[in-house]
Amino acid sequence: MTNMIADETVAKSSVLSVFDFDGTLTHHDSFIPFLRFAFGKRYFAGRLVRMALPTLHCVRRKLTRDELKEVLIKTFLTGVDERWLRQQAEAFCEKYWNKLMRPEGVLAVAAEVNSGAEVTICSASPALVLQPWADKLGIKLIGTQLEVKDGKLTGRITGNNCRCAQKVARLEKVYGDLNDYHLRAWGDTRGDHELLAAAQDPHWRHFHHPRKRRNSPIKG
């Protein structure tokens, strides 16, 4: 009887289904592999060397994850043409879809879409990079926004890195009061805690693999 009542409550409410991207819908983080793909191995390796000290500072907690993300974006994306980066994002999605996406994740998204829920990705990765993936899944996207001026990326983030409490804040900015929805959420790292805590129906870590995974200091 209790389950029947719960099901009826969900059916009468507006369902909002929110998926983290990296490590949840994918087998692993996507942003670093994207940068390697977009810029080529030699250029990527040269720029990545500059990340060694900031990453060490982050591991030693002298630098926050948000600050490390800002350094990464500044290092690779300052002065980059927005249109070119969008083209690279399309090409990366096309080439690595089958390799990167978790089949069970794709099926979970499809199930939510078919149920009539409002479905969105909510990720710390740049929205500009993830847009092709959201488009292919046929769902909406909320991600970290990159600042663009005169068609060029400035190397800065607009607003805040979309992780932790910012995920909830961004969802509220787009959808309004989350209490108006039955919130379902999928996530896999510390950056998803607040999102999962806000959900009536939280799904922690992977769909069928609940083992603990190591969290890259750059993810999120």
Side-chain angles (χ1 to χ4, degrees):
M1 179 64 70
T2 302
N3 289 338
M4 290 178 64
I5 293 173
D7 290 343
E8 289 176 2
T9 300
V10 171
K12 292 177 182 179
S13 67
S14 297
V15 177
L16 176 59
S17 300
V18 182
F19 291 86
D20 170 55
F21 188 73
D22 294 296
T24 299
L25 293 182
T26 68
H27 290 292
H28 53 74
D29 300 342
S30 65
F31 189 41
I32 294 296
F34 166 73
L35 293 174
R36 184 188 301 115
F37 169 84
F39 292 101
K41 292 181 180 180
R42 180 173 296 181
Y43 182 92
F44 171 81
R47 288 298 173 104
L48 195 62
V49 170
R50 303 182 188 183
M51 294 299 302
L53 186 58
T55 300
L56 180 61
H57 285 167
C58 184
V59 170
R60 293 179 174 177
R61 299 187 178 181
K62 295 180 179 180
L63 201 68
T64 68
R65 286 178 181 271
D66 289 344
E67 289 169 339
L68 181 62
K69 182 72 158 287
E70 291 172 1
V71 173
L72 178 67
I73 289 171
K74 181 178 181 180
T75 299
F76 278 93
L77 300 182
T78 301
V80 170
D81 183 76
E82 179 191 13
R83 183 177 180 182
W84 177 84
L85 198 69
R86 290 188 184 278
Q87 291 172 343
Q88 294 301 309
E90 291 278 358
F92 180 69
C93 177
E94 184 68 24
K95 184 173 182 178
Y96 287 99
W97 177 273
N98 291 332
K99 184 177 181 179
L100 191 59
M101 295 297 289
R102 292 179 178 274
E104 61 269 31
V106 175
L107 290 173
V109 169
E112 293 304 303
V113 171
N114 292 336
S115 74
E118 177 77 12
V119 188
T120 185
I121 290 169
C122 190
S123 173
S125 286
L128 187 153
V129 174
L130 295 190
Q131 192 62 60
W133 304 82
D135 291 343
K136 194 164 184 176
L137 288 166
I139 61 178
K140 294 184 178 180
L141 170 65
I142 295 172
T144 297
Q145 297 295 316
L146 303 179
E147 185 180 68
V148 179
K149 291 185 178 180
D150 299 323
K152 303 286 186 180
L153 276 69
T154 66
R156 293 189 292 268
I157 290 174
T158 298
N160 298 293
N161 191 20
C162 187
R163 69 183 297 269
C164 297
Q166 282 299 316
K167 288 199 171 188
V168 176
R170 290 289 303 280
L171 284 166
E172 290 175 336
K173 185 175 181 179
V174 174
Y175 293 103
D177 190 348
L178 296 183
N179 291 321
D180 293 338
Y181 298 87
H182 180 88
L183 180 60
R184 295 173 177 163
W186 286 257
D188 74 315
T189 66
R190 170 65 188 87
D192 302 312
H193 279 195
E194 288 81 357
L195 169 61
L196 293 169
Q200 292 93 337
D201 190 8
H203 299 264
W204 174 245
R205 293 193 171 94
H206 305 319
F207 299 95
H208 303 300
H209 306 284
R211 67 182 183 275
K212 186 174 182 180
R213 65 189 288 271
R214 296 188 67 180
N215 187 11
S216 165
I218 292 181
K219 180 182 185 279

